[in-house]
Amino acid sequence: MRKKLALLFVLMLFCVHSAAAGEGRTFNGSFTPNTNGRKLLSLIVSFTKPEAVELRLDQEPDADGSVRNLHCLVTGAFIGGCRVEKLAIEAAFVEFNPPSGWDPSAEKPLVVRKTLRTNFEAIVLEKDINRALMEYTGKDWTGISVDLKPGKINARGRYHVKSPSLTILAEVRSGLDLREGKEIWLKDVFLKINHEDQTPVIREELQKIQPIASLRNFPFPVTLGVLSIDDRQMRIATRTAPRPFEGIVYRYVRGS
């Protein structure tokens, strides 16, 4: 009899846990948010078109848009036409604009008015960079590809000149440099045109496209301290990486 009662108690606990875990906190495909936390999740999904999102909050954002602690992990986001393997943010004492203005169709649907601290990490894979380059190759450029090496980026492509009709092979080798914790610049650039060294000629032109990436307009104030490249990926991050915590958890998985 005692064994049966113990088993019944365990089953009751399991049922209670299952009910709590299934309170609409995991979403697939499109969904209609009915809390401020879920509304924030919906905005993140609309911004990043991700494969998956995990949003952690220590409490629901209040009517003014304030939340004490936030952690967001986005997997397979699409930003600027390129897939981002990992995008993670951890922020404390965040003040957004009021949730009443969180409209994806608005000019500024989500505004970070203030935050005490932000930790950030982003990882982009070599294969996803090359996939994006292939999709954006135009009539003038073909065969563009990137080959990541430890601390270096190697790129090559063929440029087609109409008059006179000829094809130029361009090869670039460059390192990357963090500046002011906000910008990514090319450094120590070496360029070949049809196998001939053109570094002095092109240096002035390259200055026109610097920096190649900037987080100055990123919604959260971020100061980068890490930039690493290996054979597979490029990673940028703050010196302290984002870490999840216990709290309200909303998850999203893209529908099939």
Side-chain angles (χ1 to χ4, degrees):
M1 184 67 177
R2 288 181 179 178
K3 289 184 178 180
K4 290 183 179 180
L5 287 173
L7 179 59
L8 179 61
F9 182 71
V10 169
L11 288 174
M12 289 173 64
L13 285 177
F14 176 78
C15 290
V16 170
H17 174 74
S18 299
E23 291 176 350
R25 294 184 177 179
T26 298
F27 304 92
N28 300 87
S30 61
F31 63 96
T32 301
N34 55 7
T35 70
N36 287 339
R38 296 173 190 182
K39 197 171 184 179
L40 181 58
L41 176 69
S42 178
L43 278 177
I44 294 169
V45 171
S46 69
F47 294 159
T48 62
K49 305 296 187 295
E51 295 163 11
V53 177
E54 181 183 89
L55 175 64
R56 292 175 179 263
L57 305 165
D58 72 325
Q59 61 184 20
E60 289 279 340
D62 62 22
D64 294 326
S66 298
V67 59
R68 285 179 301 185
N69 291 292
L70 172 153
H71 179 274
C72 183
L73 173 62
V74 184
T75 304
F78 275 85
I79 300 174
C82 182
R83 181 182 180 275
V84 178
E85 173 71 9
K86 177 181 180 181
L87 180 63
I89 295 173
E90 178 195 1
F93 294 97
V94 184
E95 292 183 15
F96 295 108
N97 57 318
S100 58
W102 293 357
D103 180 1
S105 61
E107 183 178 352
K108 292 184 177 181
L110 187 66
V111 178
V112 180
R113 292 177 171 173
K114 185 190 301 183
T115 179
L116 180 65
R117 166 182 53 83
T118 302
N119 296 327
F120 172 89
E121 181 183 22
I123 294 175
V124 183
L125 303 182
E126 177 187 275
K127 65 180 182 180
D128 291 325
I129 296 173
N130 282 321
R131 185 176 294 115
L133 289 172
M134 287 178 61
E135 292 178 358
Y136 280 87
T137 297
K139 295 180 180 179
D140 295 333
W141 283 96
T142 59
I144 303 176
S145 64
V146 166
D147 181 19
L148 297 182
K149 298 295 182 185
K152 298 286 184 181
I153 293 179
N154 297 332
R156 61 183 293 160
R158 297 185 182 275
Y159 184 74
H160 301 277
V161 182
K162 296 179 181 179
S163 181
S165 181
L166 63 110
T167 299
I168 296 173
L169 174 63
E171 299 171 278
V172 179
R173 184 173 68 246
S174 176
L176 294 179
D177 186 31
L178 276 179
R179 297 198 180 183
E180 300 178 3
K182 306 289 184 184
E183 299 176 344
I184 300 175
W185 286 58
L186 297 173
K187 72 171 183 178
D188 301 328
V189 180
F190 179 75
L191 175 70
K192 282 186 176 181
I193 299 294
N194 287 341
H195 306 293
E196 296 292 334
D197 181 7
Q198 301 290 326
T199 302
V201 177
I202 205 65
R203 186 172 288 122
E204 184 177 342
E205 291 299 315
L206 287 175
Q207 292 302 315
K208 297 177 182 179
I209 65 170
Q210 301 273 35
I212 60 169
S214 174
L215 289 181
R216 293 192 182 279
N217 294 323
F218 192 67
F220 287 85
V222 171
T223 301
L224 299 175
V226 178
L227 192 162
S228 62
I229 307 171
D230 60 26
D231 292 329
R232 178 175 171 269
Q233 66 184 29
M234 179 171 67
R235 175 178 178 264
I236 58 173
T238 51
R239 295 196 182 279
T240 302
R243 293 182 179 180
F245 53 84
E246 294 296 326
I248 302 170
V249 181
Y250 293 126
R251 295 183 177 91
Y252 164 87
V253 179
R254 184 190 297 167
S256 57

